[in-house]
């Protein structure tokens, strides 16, 4: 009986941790989509990492997307010139410490005078450690991107 009871407590504890991780991951993606750099800063620390292995070796990238630390991550995201981003999730999978989002993201780059919008198929894996983002990892289908009508 104690084993079953301990197993149930363990399951409840894991479920609660996954829910907390999901809230932190969702808050991060909300800040990322709205380009709220102050909110991003509350969710990142010097150990945070942002990586997109699908950017490695691609034309059009000055360097692969592989940033470590809160300031480097925010500077890297700022360098893209994103004015708006919106995820469209088809699936969300949760496990303790990780939330996996599968779908696409609409991204608008540019200025008020010239904007360019694209939809990218994407899988985003957010790893949470305690109260911060340990890693944001994107697998982006750059070749599958679709240009969207710009405002």
């Amino acid at each position: 009986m104690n084993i079953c009871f301990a197993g149930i407590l363990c399951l409840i504890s894991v479920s609660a941790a996954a829910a907390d991780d999901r809230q932190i991951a969702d808050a991060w993606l909300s800040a990322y989509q709205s380009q709220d750099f102050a909110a991003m800063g509350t969710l990142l620390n010097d150990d945070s990492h942002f990586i997109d292995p699908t950017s490695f070796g691609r034309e059009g990238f000055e360097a692969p997307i592989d940033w470590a630390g809160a300031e480097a991550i925010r500077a890297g995201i700022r360098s893209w010139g994103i004015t708006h981003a919106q995820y469209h999730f088809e699936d969300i999978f949760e496990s303790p410490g990780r939330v996996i989002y599968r779908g696409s993201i609409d991204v608008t780059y540019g200025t008020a005078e010239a904007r360019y919008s694209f939809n990218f198929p994407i899988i985003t894996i957010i790893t949470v450690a305690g109260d911060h983002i340990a890693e944001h990892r994107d697998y982006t289908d750059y070749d599958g991107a679709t240009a969207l009508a710009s405002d």
Side-chain angles (χ1 to χ4, degrees), residues 4-86:
C4 180
F5 183 69
I8 290 171
L9 284 181
C10 183
L11 181 60
I12 290 169
S13 176
V14 167
S15 295
D20 290 344
D21 295 342
R22 171 69 186 272
Q23 289 175 337
I24 293 167
D26 285 351
W28 164 253
L29 288 184
S30 178
Y32 178 65
Q33 290 176 100
S34 65
Q35 298 292 280
D36 183 342
F37 292 99
M40 286 181 201
T42 67
L43 296 164
L44 299 170
N45 68 20
D46 290 339
D47 296 325
S48 298
H49 196 212
F50 190 112
I51 186 168
D52 182 346
T54 53
S55 72
F56 295 9
R58 296 194 64 86
E59 288 184 36
F61 284 87
E62 195 169 299
I65 299 167
D66 189 1
W67 306 314
E71 290 310 311
I73 291 168
R74 292 190 303 174
I77 294 170
R78 264 192 203 97
S79 74
W80 291 336
I82 294 174
T83 60
H84 178 75
Q86 179 66 51

Side-chain angles (χ1 to χ4, degrees), residues 22 26 29 89-94 99-102:
R22 171 69 186 272
D26 285 351
L29 288 184
F89 302 124
E90 295 176 26
D91 294 302
I92 300 173
F93 304 98
E94 299 176 52
V99 183
I100 299 105
Y101 302 87
R102 186 179 71 84

